[in-house]
Amino acid sequence: MNLTFLTEISPMSRAQRLLTLIQILRRHRFAVTGANLAEELGISVRTLYRDIATLQEQGANIEGEPGIGYVLWPGFMLPPLMFSKEEIEALVLGARWVADRGDERLGAAARSAVSKIAAVLPGDLREMLDASALLIGPGKTIPTVAVDLSELRLAIRAEHKVTIHYRDLKDRETKRTVWPFALGYFDHVRILIAWCEFRQGFRHFRTDRIFALSVEDQHYPRRRQSLLKEWRAIESIPPQ
């Protein structure tokens, strides 16, 4: 393979190349040879060895040696973030939607995330982020929520049971103990998706109809990922 020709067609900064190298190593569970890594990156083996050494100096737990192969152990994030222009537009558009249509804390988190990304971008890309022309159109008014959705998100992450006081469409009030595993953010409503102990099945609860909740100390007996997978299968929803 003519590596010089490949580099001329697809020039890549060293920072981008180091990030790509980390991503390639993450894809492989077992050691991959330096020659294969160099070929995928379009660089010489000598340059690959220098890049490996640089990443090791920066704290990447890469084990291996020339002629045998290299493997990256988990737990390393390469600090500068490198994004393409399309990726930046996607991040800004998504953050703007969350800031406008998410709950208060999630909206603040979206704005904070964009600020952190902007802080590490090169000047020209930072200007593009600030001047992004992709806008979020106005949506329906989201009903007021009486409970703090951050508590539900915390319960979902920790896989804790939650007791909710719920008012249905006929204004009947019920008390349910549920296993929350997902929150759906739609344009005009937010939905808690959970396994209901009372109904012994999956149920959807509009968060604006939950008027009180308490996160229990008890973990629910199944893993969140398992519940989500089963629910997706029942609802014929493909993985995201």
Side-chain angles (χ1 to χ4, degrees):
M1 176 179 290
N2 189 331
L3 297 179
T4 302
F5 176 72
L6 188 113
T7 303
E8 289 174 353
I9 292 178
S10 304
M12 182 184 298
S13 71
R14 188 155 191 262
Q16 289 175 315
R17 192 173 72 238
L18 293 176
L19 178 59
T20 301
L21 175 54
I22 286 290
Q23 292 170 334
I24 293 171
L25 287 169
R26 283 191 177 128
R27 293 202 308 262
H28 294 275
R29 295 179 57 191
F30 303 103
V32 55
T33 66
N36 286 340
L37 290 170
E39 181 177 3
E40 188 162 353
L41 287 166
I43 58 177
S44 68
V45 174
R46 183 187 297 271
T47 300
L48 183 279
Y49 292 155
R50 287 200 299 265
D51 287 350
I52 291 285
T54 297
L55 289 172
Q56 289 171 330
E57 290 170 1
Q58 293 186 10
N61 191 5
I62 300 174
E63 292 187 0
E65 57 185 78
I68 296 177
Y70 296 92
V71 63
L72 172 68
W73 296 105
F76 177 73
M77 294 296 291
L78 185 67
L81 296 174
M82 300 302 296
F83 297 107
S84 69
K85 292 180 179 180
E86 288 77 16
E87 288 170 338
I88 291 172
E89 287 184 330
L91 288 169
V92 172
L93 184 63
R96 284 177 174 172
W97 191 95
V98 173
D100 183 65
R101 311 303 292 170
D103 59 80
E104 183 177 352
R105 290 197 181 186
L106 207 57
R111 289 186 287 271
S112 175
V114 171
S115 296
K116 290 179 179 178
I117 292 171
V120 297
L121 287 175
D124 58 333
L125 293 181
R126 191 182 308 119
E127 289 178 7
M128 178 186 169
L129 185 149
D130 293 336
S132 175
L134 303 184
L135 306 176
I136 298 297
K140 295 181 180 179
T141 301
I142 299 175
T144 302
V145 178
V147 297
D148 185 353
L149 295 188
S150 65
E151 291 188 47
L152 279 177
R153 291 197 296 272
L154 180 61
I156 289 170
R157 289 194 294 268
E159 299 182 346
H160 278 203
K161 293 184 178 183
V162 173
T163 298
I164 62 172
H165 297 262
Y166 191 74
R167 187 177 293 111
D168 67 16
L169 293 174
K170 295 183 179 180
D171 242 15
R172 295 174 300 197
E173 296 182 3
T174 59
K175 179 181 177 182
R176 311 279 187 95
T177 297
V178 300
W179 309 348
F181 60 87
L183 268 174
Y185 285 79
F186 297 88
D187 189 55
H188 63 284
V189 71
R190 298 150 189 162
I191 301 293
L192 171 65
I193 307 164
W195 174 271
C196 176
E197 291 187 349
F198 177 69
R199 294 295 186 184
Q200 284 296 293
F202 295 112
R203 289 295 183 271
H204 304 145
F205 302 95
R206 283 179 47 160
T207 58
D208 58 299
R209 293 187 171 275
I210 301 174
F211 57 91
L213 68 83
S214 58
V215 179
E216 309 298 338
D217 293 332
Q218 185 180 8
H219 290 273
Y220 47 75
R222 294 181 60 187
R223 297 307 306 272
R224 174 169 54 88
Q225 293 89 338
S226 173
L227 291 168
L228 183 60
K229 183 178 181 180
E230 183 178 340
W231 172 80
R232 284 186 182 280
I234 291 173
E235 299 290 334
S236 299
I237 298 175
Q240 294 181 349

